[in-house]
Amino acid sequence: MSVKYLDIDNEKISHSVTLTPRLEYSASLLDEIVEIISQKRNDLKLSNHDLISDFDETDKTHMRAIELERTIAFSLEILTLTKKRTKSITNIHSIPQILPSSIPLIRTISAQLYDIVPNCSQKLSELSVHLGSIVLDSAALTHASFDFSQSNTESSTLLDEVKLMVDSKISKQYPNLDFFKLCTT
């Protein structure tokens, strides 16, 4: 019976080298999704332009149009934030600090876009799987540990901050809109 001994240093180097292409692919996928959502946001702004002056809060199509634009704007802001965070990764040790809270953000946006932009929702699901595997592998290599509670709290805080920011932008964009009525529908 023979026992195969692993050289831990060589194994770490091998695994860390495989993180780079996966991280690059994830960043590329995120760029692609942001581009699609950005175009969708621009299209919605154009199609909703008349609502700036002619908004009728009793017209359900007007309410849905604004809510759709709000959802897309929210998604775009979260994904742009995630993209910035992903691009701020400088080495393997920064991955466990930067990425864990991004995964719940991506999953939240994927769920919101499921009926609106199904292809982006699917790509976001794929992205969350890739980033999750990168986080786990980097943590194993760096001996990092996670506080999922802290990660979830950070994600929730970011979602709340972005929601307030987007709500403010939409409110300014549509001054005739009874924004509180939209928020409760």
Side-chain angles (χ1 to χ4, degrees):
M1 175 179 189
S2 67
V3 178
K4 185 175 181 182
Y5 292 97
L6 296 175
D7 182 352
I8 299 300
D9 290 333
N10 285 338
E11 186 175 316
K12 281 185 178 182
I13 292 169
S14 173
H15 286 299
S16 65
V17 170
T18 66
L19 289 176
T20 302
R22 289 189 289 155
L23 195 54
E24 288 173 355
Y25 174 75
S26 296
S28 172
L29 188 58
L30 187 54
D31 286 343
E32 180 183 334
I33 296 164
V34 166
E35 182 64 34
I36 293 167
I37 299 300
S38 181
Q39 185 59 50
K40 180 84 169 164
R41 167 80 162 125
N42 291 339
D43 294 346
L44 285 169
K45 272 181 111 170
L46 281 174
S47 69
N48 290 348
H49 184 71
D50 292 340
L51 297 179
I52 292 172
S53 58
D54 297 330
F55 183 75
D56 179 5
E57 64 187 43
T58 61
D59 187 336
K60 290 188 189 282
T61 59
H62 288 191
M63 295 296 278
R64 280 191 293 254
I66 299 297
E67 184 57 37
L68 178 62
E69 185 175 345
R70 183 173 155 214
T71 300
I72 293 296
F74 177 74
S75 299
L76 183 58
E77 291 294 332
I78 290 291
L79 294 174
T80 301
L81 175 67
T82 302
K83 183 178 169 178
K84 286 178 188 172
R85 294 179 86 174
T86 303
K87 292 191 185 284
S88 73
I89 294 170
T90 56
N91 59 48
I92 192 170
H93 294 281
S94 63
I95 293 171
Q97 281 100 32
I98 294 172
L99 285 184
S101 62
S102 297
I103 296 166
L105 296 174
I106 291 169
R107 289 182 178 151
T108 298
I109 298 307
S110 177
Q112 287 191 345
L113 296 177
Y114 182 77
D115 288 330
I116 302 168
V117 192
N119 63 328
C120 284
S121 176
Q122 180 183 7
K123 288 178 183 189
L124 287 167
S125 293
E126 177 187 349
L127 179 62
S128 73
V129 169
H130 283 288
L131 292 179
S133 73
I134 291 167
V135 167
L136 288 175
D137 288 351
S138 67
L141 292 169
T142 61
H143 303 289
S145 60
F146 296 110
D147 181 351
F148 288 107
S149 177
Q150 176 63 31
S151 181
N152 288 337
T153 300
E154 186 179 332
S155 295
S156 293
T157 301
L158 288 170
L159 287 168
D160 290 342
E161 288 173 1
V162 171
K163 183 183 180 309
L164 286 173
M165 183 180 68
V166 168
D167 287 352
S168 175
K169 285 181 180 180
I170 294 289
S171 181
K172 287 177 186 170
Q173 185 177 335
Y174 299 100
N176 296 335
L177 170 68
D178 183 359
F179 196 70
F180 292 107
K181 195 174 235 182
L182 179 67
C183 290
T184 59
T185 57

